Structures are given as C-alpha cells and as structure tokens.
Amino acid sequence: GDLTVVNIVDLETYLKGVIPYEMSNSWPLEALKVQAVCARSYAYNNLRSSRHTSYHFDVCNTTDCQVYYGAGPNNTSYQANDRTDRAVEETKGQTVWYQGKIVTTYYYSTSCGRTTNAEAWGSTPSEENGYLQSVDVKGTDGDYEKALPWYRWHAKIPEQEMEENIRRNTGKDIGELKSVEVTMRGAGDVALVLTAVGSKCTVTVETENKIRTALAGDYDIVKQDGSTRNCGKLLPSAFFTIKKEKGSYCIEGGGFGHGIGMSQTGANEMAKQGKNYREILELFYPGVN
C-alpha cells in the first residue's frame, strides 16, 4: 500500500542537490570543493553497495546517506547557487582513492582539534581503512577550529538524572548509580568503552555512538561561546572526560559529530587560511590520491 518515488538523476546533477545542504554555500570555494569530492566519493561507494537495493534506489536523501534535494523550478526547497554548482563543476569526476579503490570519505561537523580512526565504530584499523587515521586539525597558529562554539563544551547532570539516563538508554536496571567512567580510549583520545557501576549491576558500553547515546538526556550542553543546546538523544561527541563532583556528573568535551574523516568546519577554517581543496583532503585522509 506504499508508494516510493525515485528521482533518477546523473551523479554530477545529484551532487548539486547535496552540497548546499551539507555545507554552507557562503563558505570559501575551496571548502565547497572538498565537500564536493567527499560527497562524490561517498556516493560512488553507495552505488556499489546493496544497502538500498530492496527499495529500488541507490542512495536515500537523508543523513543516513547524504542530505539531498532534487533540482528543478518547482522544488521550493532547492537552494543551489552558482558557488556550490561551481564547486561541483570544478571537481567534476574527482574522487578520493586509497590503495587502488575509491574510498568512503566520512565527514562530520566539527573537530576538537583531533580526529580518530575506525576503531571508534568497532572496526579494527587495517590497510583497507588506513586512510582514516587520527590527525591533528591544526596549523602554525594552533587548532583551526579553536574559536568555534562547538570546539569545547560542557554539561552538568545531577546524579539521579544521570542514573535515569543510563537506565533508559541502555535498557539496564543498574540500581543506584555509583560511578561512570571512560575505561578505554582510542586514537585521538576518543572514548571507546564506558563503564557505569550501579548497586545492581555494571553496564559496559562500547563504540562512540552507543556511548554518546548512553549519556544523552534532557539537559543543556553549554558551548564555549556561552550558548546552549539541549543534549537530546546524542552527546555532541565522544571526545570528553567525565567526573563526579558534588552530587553531579560533569562532562567536558569538544567537537560535534563522530570525529572520523573530514571535519566540515575544519575544512572551512583551513580554506579561510588559504589552503586548497587538495591540501585539505590530504590532511584529513592521509595517504590518499
């Protein structure tokens, strides 16, 4: 009883419907070109996968793949402009290669000054994913994103609220919460294992996304510029420390997103400082062509 509408479109036109929604079209052209090459590489690998085959299309239009709005005079949501189109056209056909293959160029919003590797998702670092390494996102003047709101953030959660968050998010009745700590870290100092000890049981949570989910809740995240945002269903990143202090758990962290691959705001700041799109791609994905 359902109807699936599939937009059949060539790859370069598709990208023109992606770039304005993945990166601000007011950013420098070199940053937009980075996004164009990443989005093209990401799309190529989706075309080769079978993840959406049962639905009879290759890529979806959400963050599960890449955000996309089809072009056309009747689509009022479409926001393409000359600058984002130019970024696609000036990189036409260009993709990121590693060891003879086009690779999936993961990207996210903002780094904490470092990236991490695929171990944060539970994958073993290997030759195949060797282009996804922990790198410092900094230049001669320090971290490129050090002045941005999401570069550093913090939150303070009462003990009882933290206890309820962990119980709800893990599905485990841990009883009275005794402690929460990061018990294993990975490349870039990202949290890989979180251990919560309760009066009834101990819960161990692994991988960055599950850790961020376990600690999430209805409390405010305070960014370094003083602005706030409700945490919601996911902690901003897994680059954080947590400690118990006077009846509350204090979390101090940095960055926004999974931390693997290219930081979009990092690419923007690098472009502002005169780096070209190839230099930016080679920083975030070491060893690629």
Side-chain angles (χ1 to χ4, degrees):
D2 295 330
L3 181 69
T4 300
V5 179
V6 180
N7 182 195
I8 301 173
V9 63
D10 70 87
L11 183 59
E12 299 300 314
T13 301
Y14 160 77
L15 291 172
K16 291 179 180 180
V18 170
I19 310 307
Y21 297 93
E22 287 288 358
M23 187 173 278
S24 172
N25 54 36
S26 65
W27 287 6
L29 180 62
E30 293 304 304
L32 297 175
K33 288 162 75 171
V34 170
Q35 184 66 65
V37 176
C38 284
R40 188 181 291 108
S41 304
Y42 195 94
Y44 262 119
N45 276 298
N46 268 275
L47 294 176
R48 293 206 301 253
S49 75
S50 58
R51 60 191 301 211
H52 293 307
T53 302
S54 62
Y55 298 103
H56 307 290
F57 55 78
D58 298 301
V59 292
C60 65
N61 64 345
T62 72
T63 53
D64 186 49
C65 289
Q66 297 181 124
V67 179
Y68 166 79
Y69 285 90
N74 297 321
N75 189 345
T76 57
S77 298
Y78 184 62
Q79 298 174 357
N81 58 45
D82 291 342
R83 297 186 72 258
T84 52
D85 284 359
R86 181 182 169 189
V88 173
E89 291 161 2
E90 290 191 9
T91 63
K92 185 175 181 179
Q94 294 183 17
T95 50
V96 178
W97 288 67
Y98 184 74
Q99 295 189 342
K101 296 179 180 179
I102 298 173
V103 291
T104 302
T105 40
Y106 299 104
Y107 52 87
Y108 60 99
S109 173
T110 305
S111 87
C112 65
R114 302 180 302 276
T115 68
T116 189
N117 61 22
E119 191 177 13
W121 286 336
S123 300
T124 302
S126 64
E127 289 188 12
E128 187 176 350
N129 60 32
Y131 67 100
L132 298 173
Q133 299 178 23
S134 176
V135 300
D136 292 330
V137 189
K138 67 179 182 180
T140 55
D141 295 327
D143 293 350
Y144 286 112
E145 296 155 285
K146 61 186 177 184
L148 303 182
W150 278 119
Y151 174 72
R152 292 289 183 267
W153 47 266
H154 67 272
K156 190 173 184 179
I157 307 100
E159 286 183 65
Q160 192 170 354
E161 185 177 344
M162 178 64 80
E163 179 183 302
E164 178 55 35
N165 290 342
I166 292 173
R167 180 183 295 110
R168 180 183 63 254
N169 295 331
T170 65
K172 302 288 186 180
D173 181 7
I174 60 173
E176 182 183 350
L177 184 62
K178 301 295 185 181
S179 67
V180 181
E181 62 179 323
V182 176
T183 48
M184 182 176 176
R185 293 188 180 275
D189 213 26
V190 70
L192 291 183
V193 179
L194 182 80
T195 302
V197 179
S199 59
K200 293 183 179 180
C201 68
T202 296
V203 175
T204 300
V205 183
E206 300 179 5
T207 70
E208 63 88 23
N209 188 272
K210 290 180 180 178
I211 290 171
R212 292 165 65 195
T213 299
L215 296 178
D218 186 19
Y219 57 85
D220 283 342
I221 301 292
V222 183
K223 293 178 267 186
Q224 72 171 4
D225 65 351
S227 62
T228 62
R229 170 173 167 172
N230 186 269
C231 178
K233 296 182 179 180
L234 206 61
L235 200 67
S237 83
F239 295 86
F240 68 87
T241 60
I242 183 169
K243 63 181 179 180
K244 193 174 180 179
E245 192 174 274
K246 296 179 180 179
S248 295
Y249 282 92
C250 299
I251 302 177
E252 294 186 355
F256 189 93
H258 52 68
I260 299 171
M262 186 263 288
S263 161
Q264 292 169 309
T265 59
N268 180 39
E269 296 303 315
M270 290 180 72
K272 287 179 181 178
Q273 294 189 26
K275 301 293 183 182
N276 65 48
Y277 76 103
R278 290 177 180 269
E279 292 175 307
I280 297 170
L281 286 166
E282 287 167 0
L283 180 139
F284 286 111
Y285 308 106
V288 301
N289 300 309

